[in-house]
Amino acid sequence: MTCRECAEFLADYVAGELPADALAVFERHLKACPNCEEYMRQYRQTIAAGRAACADPDAPAEIPEALIRAILAARPQDR
Amino acid sequence: MKEAPAPPAQLGPDDKALLARLRSGEPQAFEELVRQETGKLLAVARRILPTEEDARDAVQDAFMFAFRSLARFEGQARLSTWLHRIVVNASLMRLRTRKRKREESLEPLLPSFQTDGHFVERFATWDDPLTKLETAETRALVRQLIDELPDGYRTVLLLRDIEGLDTEETAKLLETTPNAVKVRLHRARQALRTLLAPHFTRDRR
């Protein structure tokens, strides 16, 4: 397996979707190739960083009252 | 908006009671739902859309759609999950009507390989990003770098990695194939990794 092929397998690997035979080849390559191992680590860290950065705590806590009013005013009243 | 997505999850007793009150048209029930969910839905719309005004409009669109669809809601998902999918859809629809950034090539942000298949670049170790992400400043920086991705890649990354939609749902909402979603997600993550690298590479001084 080359590093290029290894990189192509990354998404399936982190999703746990690599078939057993491909997984064995992939992991053998990672063990022998520190550069791919580092790339794989950073690929995982990228996913985690995106999640952490977009977690809701940074969202403004205040919910705009005008928006709530507008939504409630527009709700169907014909029931 | 087209059909409402129906993700799996069970409708709890609280949801059942609220749903019954909504269906009977009780004004207090609508207010409860809107007050309970607007903050979360707005956060989702803000991630997808470029302006605050767009995000608020998408949340309003989503509630209008949800109110009209209450009779057809079969309770196969939690109300909050159902609304989450609806606001994602409403945001994507609004995004399509916006003038898009030119869909720039992602190629410069993807790794290069030598003819023998080895990476050209030697990857320097990163500091643990999760430690750095404890500061609001770094979290804002990462969000800004996600925003730098071309829309077609940014939305796939947001839907899959941030909003937690699966490949099939994402493909349906973006009117593309599951395979195209997989390819775009992989490329988007690789591009984001390249953008993050200068900020996360360990200082070797």
Side-chain angles (χ1 to χ4, degrees):
Chain A
M1 173 179 274
T2 65
C3 302
R4 181 194 287 271
E5 288 161 343
C6 181
E8 286 312 309
F9 280 179
L10 271 179
D12 283 344
Y13 178 68
V14 300
E17 290 173 359
L18 265 192
D21 49 345
L23 180 66
V25 179
F26 179 86
E27 287 183 333
R28 206 161 44 237
H29 179 91
L30 277 195
K31 236 176 178 171
C33 180
N35 205 35
C36 275
E37 196 189 18
E38 183 57 37
Y39 191 74
M40 194 270 294
R41 186 166 28 249
Q42 293 179 10
Y43 186 89
R44 279 190 194 279
Q45 288 173 327
T46 296
I47 299 168
R51 286 192 183 131
C54 294
D56 287 344
D58 284 348
E62 205 168 304
I63 301 163
E65 187 61 26
L67 176 60
I68 290 179
R69 294 271 146 236
I71 293 166
L72 290 172
R75 80 176 173 84
Q77 308 273 349
D78 56 344
R79 287 164 184 265
Chain B
M1 221 179 293
K2 292 172 299 186
E3 63 180 294
Q10 285 301 308
L11 199 62
D14 290 351
D15 270 355
K16 273 186 187 161
L18 182 57
L19 186 60
R21 290 167 58 216
L22 289 166
R23 283 179 170 157
S24 72
E26 190 191 311
Q28 193 58 38
F30 283 94
E31 180 150 359
E32 246 173 68
L33 181 72
V34 172
R35 290 200 179 277
Q36 186 182 295
E37 300 296 334
T38 295
K40 283 176 270 178
L41 299 181
L42 193 54
V44 174
R46 280 175 179 149
R47 285 195 279 271
I48 297 175
L49 288 160
T51 69
E52 177 68 16
E53 193 189 353
D54 279 333
R56 291 186 186 196
D57 286 347
V59 170
Q60 196 162 349
D61 292 348
F63 271 113
M64 291 312 105
F65 179 80
F67 292 160
R68 283 199 310 273
S69 310
L70 274 173
R72 282 180 281 129
F73 175 63
E74 290 167 5
Q76 67 279 60
R78 294 197 52 187
L79 267 173
S80 57
T81 311
W82 182 62
L83 284 168
H84 174 259
R85 299 308 194 255
I86 292 174
V87 83
V88 166
N89 199 15
S91 302
L92 290 174
M93 289 185 66
R94 203 158 271 276
L95 187 65
R96 285 189 198 111
T97 67
R98 289 286 160 272
K99 195 176 169 202
R100 293 189 189 195
K101 283 186 287 189
R102 231 180 68 232
E103 195 82 340
E104 286 158 31
S105 168
L106 210 63
E107 226 44 58
L109 296 176
L110 298 177
S112 317
F113 297 92
Q114 298 167 10
T115 46
D116 63 1
H118 282 91
F119 280 108
V120 169
E121 188 182 346
R122 185 146 294 277
F123 302 106
T125 311
W126 282 6
D127 282 325
D128 179 14
L130 291 183
T131 308
K132 290 198 161 195
L133 283 156
E134 284 168 8
T135 69
E137 193 188 357
T138 309
R139 292 195 295 270
L141 168 73
V142 173
R143 289 197 298 272
Q144 185 196 321
L145 295 173
I146 291 174
D147 279 344
E148 284 181 21
L149 296 174
D151 267 348
Y153 293 91
R154 187 181 65 90
T155 48
V156 170
L157 184 102
L158 285 176
L159 267 50
R160 289 283 290 107
D161 282 348
I162 314 298
E163 303 304 335
L165 272 63
D166 66 25
T167 303
E168 281 69 26
E169 278 180 287
T170 304
K172 214 168 159 185
L173 286 173
L174 296 176
E175 298 175 355
T176 183
T177 63
N179 196 49
V181 167
K182 282 186 167 189
V183 171
R184 287 208 157 215
L185 175 63
H186 182 48
R187 292 165 69 95
R189 287 167 172 173
Q190 288 183 297
L192 181 59
R193 191 215 64 84
T194 305
L195 293 171
L196 291 175
H199 306 281
F200 286 161
T201 299
R202 188 169 295 165
D203 193 344
R204 276 171 290 178
R205 276 176 298 177

